[in-house]
Amino acid sequence: DAGITQSPRYKITETGRQVTLMCHQTWSHSYMFWYRQDLGHGLRLIYYSAAADITDKGEVPDGYVVSRSKTENFPLTLESATRSQTSVYFCASSDRGRGELFFGEGSRLTVL
Amino acid sequence: AQSVTQLDSQVPVFEEAPVELRCNYSSSVSVYLFWYVQYPNQGLQLLLKYLSGSTLVKGINGFEAEFNKSQTSFHLRKPSVHISDTAEYFCAVSVTTQGGSEKLVFGKGTKLTVNP
């Protein structure tokens, strides 16, 4: 089905482990984004990408790594997870940065 | 830097009552403004957007918003809410980076609870 999918939807890990959250979109949108959602903070931008092989930092990039070798995929990696990275992560895409973002259903990550 | 302030973190209302969710933005240049809705355990979806033209913007599910440049506001309104409107609502502004790419900056959200 067309759309934007995130995996896994739920993940529990331990401090210090590496975790990768996957995001795949079928629209060939040029822009993709990673946000985290925390109570009291709303959505905060972690990283975004304007096209394949072009990525840039958002508001809260520390502790995260992204790559975009293909237009349709935008994985987010936590190289050494910390408890402060416990959150709900949302991936989104857009045919241009301005305008309608299409969101995935979110990945709920718990770091113990 | 462009930013968005949602003035109410929670808004409880009774069914069929009118509601206004307030949003103020800060920007020194042309702005593009958005309202998104998040139902429980779901991602966000677009309610409406202001890019240019008429300052009164109509969206899905009977919502509308008015862009007020002098007051730097973009308040969301609905004349009569339903139980199904219970959700979290996010105001957002489009920001153009120095590199020319664009991204959305979101407010902290307003949780609307519609009671019977």
Side-chain angles (χ1 to χ4, degrees):
Chain A
D1 289 345
I4 183 165
T5 55
Q6 295 183 231
S7 62
R9 293 290 314 281
Y10 302 92
K11 176 75 176 179
I12 299 174
T13 191
E14 294 177 337
T15 301
R17 291 192 178 265
Q18 180 174 292
V19 175
T20 295
L21 305 180
M22 304 300 294
C23 180
H24 175 79
Q25 52 107 353
T26 60
W27 293 299
S28 298
H29 285 167
S30 55
Y31 280 85
M32 294 188 75
F33 306 83
W34 274 107
Y35 288 89
R36 59 178 289 174
Q37 184 176 25
D38 304 287
L39 198 63
H41 291 278
L43 278 86
R44 292 180 290 176
L45 183 63
I46 305 171
Y47 271 96
Y48 64 102
S49 168
D53 297 321
I54 300 174
T55 62
D56 209 345
K57 296 178 180 179
E59 299 172 68
V60 289
D62 293 344
Y64 302 95
V65 174
V66 294
S67 61
R68 187 138 179 238
S69 56
K70 293 184 178 181
T71 299
E72 61 267 28
N73 296 325
F74 192 40
L76 176 73
T77 297
L78 290 67
E79 292 191 306
S80 179
T82 65
R83 289 181 183 168
S84 65
Q85 293 177 309
T86 292
S87 185
V88 181
Y89 292 84
F90 286 98
C91 179
S93 71
S94 174
D95 60 352
R96 55 183 300 186
R98 179 190 316 161
E100 183 169 0
L101 264 62
F102 294 86
F103 282 82
E105 293 188 326
S107 295
R108 183 176 294 273
L109 176 67
T110 301
V111 183
L112 301 177
Chain B
Q2 289 165 306
S3 65
V4 169
T5 302
Q6 291 185 242
L7 297 162
D8 306 294
S9 59
Q10 297 188 56
V11 173
V13 294
F14 288 108
E15 193 173 18
E16 298 183 4
V19 70
E20 178 180 81
L21 306 184
R22 298 180 293 168
C23 173
N24 285 93
Y25 66 91
S26 65
S27 174
S28 58
V29 296
S30 297
V31 291
Y32 305 97
L33 296 158
F34 306 82
W35 276 100
Y36 281 79
V37 60
Q38 183 183 30
Y39 299 105
N41 299 314
Q42 294 185 25
L44 282 72
Q45 61 185 96
L46 182 68
L47 261 184
L48 49 80
K49 59 186 176 185
Y50 171 79
L51 301 181
S52 64
S54 173
T55 56
L56 183 62
V57 179
K58 294 190 183 297
I60 61 172
N61 300 338
F63 283 92
E64 63 182 31
E66 185 159 17
F67 171 62
N68 188 319
K69 189 174 182 179
S70 62
Q71 296 187 8
T72 61
S73 67
F74 191 55
H75 301 333
L76 180 70
R77 301 185 182 102
K78 187 170 182 178
S80 176
V81 294
H82 303 289
I83 299 285
S84 59
D85 291 323
T86 294
E88 190 152 20
Y89 293 79
F90 292 91
C91 185
V93 63
S94 179
V95 174
T96 302
T97 68
Q98 287 185 334
S101 58
E102 297 182 22
K103 57 185 181 180
L104 285 190
V105 174
F106 287 85
K108 293 185 177 181
T110 297
K111 187 163 290 187
L112 174 66
T113 302
V114 181
N115 298 301

